[in-house]
Amino acid sequence: MSNPITSRSEPRWSRRKEARPEEITRAALELFVERGYAATRLEDVAARAGVAKGTVYLYFANKAELFKAVVREGIVSPIAEMRTMVQHFEGDSFELLRVMLRGWWERIGSTPLSGIPKLIIAEAGNFPEIARFYMAEVVEPGQAAIIEIVRRGIARGEFREVDANDAALLVAAPMLLTALWRNSLAPFAGAPIDEVGFLEAHLDLLRRGLLKRADAASINRRIRGT
């Protein structure tokens, strides 16, 4: 016969005692995107992950460190991989740019991680620490990777002479727009945006704007299969 006191004290959910930090960061991502940074409490993260609140503190000193772990795991790591790929890619520079944008969509833009930019923009004023962290570990390295691709294309004679810094901002802007739209106004829009189609349209405009005329014609023929 069970002890009624013990039975009443047991949580309604059950989970193995040792939860991996990845399970906690996954739960935290869901809550940060749903509620924002200020409204997310560590006890709610623990409940979503199915662990005791004390378990969260075994891995993360506070909410700021948990948020940083979420971003490093989901966004910083792919950016680091992308920068490594830029250094070793052997194909043409526009194909490298295409791989980068499609990789962003598959690993970040089409996932709950796309809600992080909205969170940062909404709460940067109240939480400057996380804004500075996001700039240093996400925005600046991401922009540096795009700048490197543009400069690579210019140096190889594939791209027109353009300002690489301005071009990098233009490359990134529609990606940010897609993430913000997806996590704010999209549920209220009369007609959904074809996000994959939008990405392809963006790539087409970049191709027309960056490539030298001869290279653009060559790629057009390759796309048409002629």
Side-chain angles (χ1 to χ4, degrees), residues 21-185:
E22 290 83 0
E23 294 177 293
I24 296 172
T25 55
R26 189 181 306 118
L29 171 62
E30 294 173 359
L31 287 169
F32 282 133
V33 171
E34 290 173 14
R35 302 180 184 181
Y37 183 82
T40 297
R41 304 180 304 168
L42 291 184
E43 50 263 44
D44 297 330
V45 173
R48 180 71 64 93
V51 300
K53 182 179 178 181
T55 304
V56 177
Y57 284 107
L58 290 176
Y59 300 105
F60 309 103
N62 50 47
K63 183 166 70 172
E65 292 305 310
L66 175 57
F67 178 78
K68 291 176 183 178
V70 168
V71 174
R72 284 175 176 143
E73 180 182 306
I75 303 179
V76 174
S77 179
I79 289 175
E81 292 174 19
M82 178 181 70
R83 298 196 72 178
T84 299
M85 179 184 68
V86 170
Q87 297 168 7
H88 297 93
F89 194 81
E90 296 182 355
D92 66 69
S93 299
F94 187 77
E95 184 59 28
L96 175 57
L97 191 63
R98 182 191 298 275
V99 169
M100 187 271 291
L101 261 66
R102 286 179 171 172
W104 170 85
W105 169 251
E106 292 170 2
R107 298 186 61 178
I108 298 172
S110 64
T111 77
L113 291 163
S114 66
I116 296 296
K118 175 193 170 188
L119 179 156
I120 294 293
I121 290 171
E123 308 208 42
N126 293 325
F127 301 97
E129 176 192 353
I130 65 169
R132 285 191 289 267
F133 157 77
Y134 193 79
M135 284 296 300
E137 298 205 17
V138 175
V139 175
E140 292 171 1
Q143 285 295 99
I146 301 173
I147 290 169
E148 189 173 352
I149 294 173
V150 174
R151 287 177 175 166
R152 177 186 191 269
I154 294 171
R156 289 162 59 104
E158 298 164 341
F159 291 173
R160 297 187 300 110
E161 290 285 345
V162 297
D163 185 289
N165 294 281
D166 290 342
L169 291 173
L170 292 170
V171 169
M175 299 158 68
L176 176 60
L177 172 64
T178 303
L180 294 177
W181 179 269
R182 182 182 181 87
N183 292 278
S184 57
L185 297 178

